Amino acid sequence: MSIAQLFQEKSVVFSCEVFPPKKTSPIETVYRTLDQLQDLRPDYISVTFGAGGSAGDNLTGRIAAAIQDQYHIPSVAHLSCVNYTRDEVAGLLDSLKAMGIENILALRGDMDPNHPPKTDFQYASQLIAFIKSRDNSFHLSGACYPEGHIESPDMVSDILNLKKKVDAGAEHLVSQLFFDNDDFYDFREKARIAGINVPIQAGIMPVLNKSQIERMVYLCGASIPKKLARMLSRYGDHPAALRDAGIAYAIDQISDLVASGVEGIHLYTMNNAGVARAIFDRVSTLFTV
Ligand code: FAD
């Protein structure tokens, strides 16, 4: 089933994201997370690509296939292109196809200062066009940025570039994490004005520790609203308190997003099924209204 189809059937689509274990950890560690996440019956689970060197053995594809085949939950395999040639991407696509993967979140990928990018793909829209021209049976999603992509000079050009991604064939968008819902609402409105009419799912990351947030702010430029800054200042050095406050903050964000008519919530679980459950238990009824 395509992910876009889920949005026609549900009032709010709820999904979770997991990442493959690092090379030093056994693959079973992610299955322990999935064992627990399956009880939440998310509408789909997506699996990131790249972290821990998942390309070589297509670990992302193997985990996404297990989510479908063993857990009977639709899955999305992330695929980034900036560090690969056309032939390498073609090989990965063939491997995903052989595993029965239908849904791909097509990404450019982050620039790694230690590895200069290859030159076949510069943007996710080129990856989307390449996949479509090669095998039209894949259903494609793309990433979007409520505060603008960190490399983008301004919001307008970022949204115009996003439109290119949708025009190339992205049927659904998943947002970068954000901590101020108004940023998401402004972005969504601008995207609709630009003629982007595919479902836009809001990405929510629960704040669990100070260093995680500092890393995210550095990597993706997410801004920290006063309410969150106060929370980090008061509870930042008290892990149990920050965990509780972070879960409460995520619940508050989700509740407001659903009340404001968001089409879907994508939870960045960081492979922490306990936190995902704590949040899900407090918001699942909202998805049925
Ligand atoms: P693009 O859509 O290509 O955009 C990148 C930049 O180029 C933007 O500034 C955009 O405005 C600009 N741009 C786009 N098209 C054009 C054009 N035609 N001309 C000029 N400028 C243009 N990374 C991973 O490595 N693995 C993952 O699994 C992963 N999962 C992610 C999941 C989500 C939901 C999100 C939001 C991000 C994820 N990322 C992942 C991070 C992502 O790879 C980075 O944010 C990356 O920097 C941009 O990827 P993109 O696909 O959005 O790029």
Side-chain angles (χ1 to χ4, degrees), residues 39-59:
D39 295 341
L40 312 185
R41 301 309 304 166
D43 293 307
Y44 74 86
I45 297 178
S46 81
V47 188
T48 65
F49 179 88
S54 54
D57 46 9
N58 209 347
L59 204 48

Side-chain angles (χ1 to χ4, degrees), residues 94-108:
D94 289 342
S95 157
L96 290 174
K97 182 90 180 171
M99 292 179 196
I101 303 300
E102 293 174 35
N103 294 293
I104 296 176
L105 176 57
L107 299 147
R108 185 196 72 179

Side-chain angles (χ1 to χ4, degrees), residues 209-227:
N209 64 65
K210 240 179 170 177
S211 57
Q212 163 216 3
I213 289 310
E214 282 160 6
R215 194 165 164 269
M216 286 304 155
V217 169
Y218 171 73
L219 283 177
C220 67
S223 52
I224 305 284
K226 279 186 189 150
K227 190 174 161 186

Side-chain angles (χ1 to χ4, degrees), residues 17 48-50 78 80 105-110 122-125 143-145 149 151-152 157-158 161 164-165 174-176 268:
E17 180 175 297
T48 65
F49 179 88
H78 297 205
S80 69
L105 176 57
L107 299 147
R108 185 196 72 179
D110 276 323
Q122 283 173 292
Y123 304 116
S125 55
C144 63
Y145 301 85
H149 184 257
E151 294 163 30
S152 216
S157 50
D158 203 37
N161 290 330
K164 290 180 197 158
K165 202 147 61 170
V174 186
S175 93
Q176 182 60 280
Y268 292 104

Side-chain angles (χ1 to χ4, degrees), residues 2 9 30 42 54 57 63 82 127 145 158 175 186 218 229 242-244 272:
S2 85
E9 292 170 12
V30 74
S54 54
D57 46 9
I63 297 166
V82 76
L127 174 63
Y145 301 85
D158 203 37
S175 93
D186 288 349
Y218 171 73
L242 185 60
R243 180 184 183 278
D244 283 349
N272 189 330

